[in-house]
């Protein structure tokens, strides 16, 4: 097991690896006050978990879960910008992304990967110069199929397809 804790002026990072890197957990907190007079403050928590199962030869099943939460201010625009005078931020911001992939290695030259994913995002956008606020809610789900064939002379051919759906009931983009 590998475990690391790194304190810093901006936050901390915890890294934990078990079972010969088949399970990984990373937790990080970052805080940044931004440069003087430029806004840009941020305060975020990041959590990542990864589980890898080797089911046949070099073939694997991998589950990843990433969660971010916190707040972030936008940098102040220069006086020649259309956006000059705006004061904007996302507070709170929450996003979770989950992926499940199967990478089947048929032989040393051929593999097939199938990946399914889901992302959920919720945030509140604040614009303080005109006192507006917008709720942002969106989700995306889909799957990817990719075939990889290694040819002689160091060439690789990859063919794939992706299908996804995106939902944004509030109609707001970040």
């Amino acid at each position: 097991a590998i475990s690391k804790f790194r304190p810093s002026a901006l936050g901390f990072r915890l890294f934990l690896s078990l079972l010969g890197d088949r399970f990984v957990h990373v937790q990080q907190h970052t805080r940044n006050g931004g440069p003087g007079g430029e806004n840009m403050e941020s305060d975020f928590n990041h959590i990542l978990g990864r589980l890898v199962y080797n089911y046949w030869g070099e073939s694997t099943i991998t589950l990843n879960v990433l969660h971010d939460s916190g707040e972030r201010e936008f940098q102040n625009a220069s006086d020649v910008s259309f956006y000059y005078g705006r004061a904007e931020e996302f507070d709170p911001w929450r996003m979770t992304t989950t992926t499940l992939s199967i990478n089947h290695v048929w032989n040393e030259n051929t593999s097939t990967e199938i990946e399914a994913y889901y992302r959920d995002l919720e945030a509140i956008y604040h614009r303080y110069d005109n006192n507006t606020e917008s709720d942002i809610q969106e989700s995306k789900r889909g799957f990817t199929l990719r075939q990889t064939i290694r040819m002689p002379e160091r060439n690789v051919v990859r063919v794939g397809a992706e299908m996804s759906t995106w939902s944004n009931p509030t109609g707001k983009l970040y």
Side-chain angles (χ1 to χ4, degrees), residues 11 22 33 40 62 66 72 76 91 106 108 111 119-120 122-123 132 144 155-156 158 165 168 170 173:
R22 290 185 192 148
M40 291 181 58
T62 304
L66 170 66
R72 175 166 290 136
N76 291 338
D91 184 12
W106 300 96
E108 65 183 25
S111 66
R119 184 191 72 206
D120 186 51
E122 294 180 22
T132 59
T144 304
N155 291 316
V156 176
R158 286 191 177 95
T165 61
N168 185 331
T170 61
L173 294 175

Side-chain angles (χ1 to χ4, degrees), residues 101-113:
S101 65
I102 300 171
N103 185 23
H104 188 82
V105 179
W106 300 96
N107 57 48
E108 65 183 25
N109 295 320
T110 309
S111 66
T112 303
E113 183 177 20

Side-chain angles (χ1 to χ4, degrees), residues 2-111:
I2 300 170
S3 180
K4 298 177 183 174
F5 179 78
R6 298 181 186 154
S8 73
L10 300 176
F12 74 89
R13 179 183 216 174
L14 174 67
F15 177 83
L16 177 64
S17 177
L18 300 170
L19 306 171
D21 288 338
R22 290 185 192 148
F23 173 76
V24 175
H25 171 79
V26 179
Q27 187 166 343
Q28 181 175 1
H29 177 254
T30 56
R31 182 174 180 81
N32 184 347
E38 290 294 317
N39 220 12
M40 291 181 58
E41 183 174 307
S42 67
D43 188 359
F44 265 86
N45 290 301
H46 313 279
I47 299 171
L48 169 68
R50 172 177 289 161
L51 182 62
V52 179
Y53 175 69
N54 191 312
Y55 68 91
W56 182 69
E58 295 294 315
S59 301
T60 57
I61 299 173
T62 304
L63 174 66
N64 293 300
V65 179
L66 170 66
H67 179 76
D68 289 328
S69 63
E71 63 173 298
R72 175 166 290 136
E73 295 177 339
F74 290 25
Q75 182 176 9
N76 291 338
S78 70
D79 58 357
V80 296
S81 172
F82 173 77
Y83 299 103
Y84 179 71
R86 285 191 182 183
E88 304 167 285
E89 74 174 346
F90 286 115
D91 184 12
W93 168 283
R94 286 183 294 279
M95 181 195 66
T96 303
T97 303
T98 304
T99 63
L100 177 65
S101 65
I102 300 171
N103 185 23
H104 188 82
V105 179
W106 300 96
N107 57 48
E108 65 183 25
N109 295 320
T110 309
S111 66

Side-chain angles (χ1 to χ4, degrees), residues 100 127 140:
L100 177 65
R127 183 170 165 195
K140 183 176 181 181

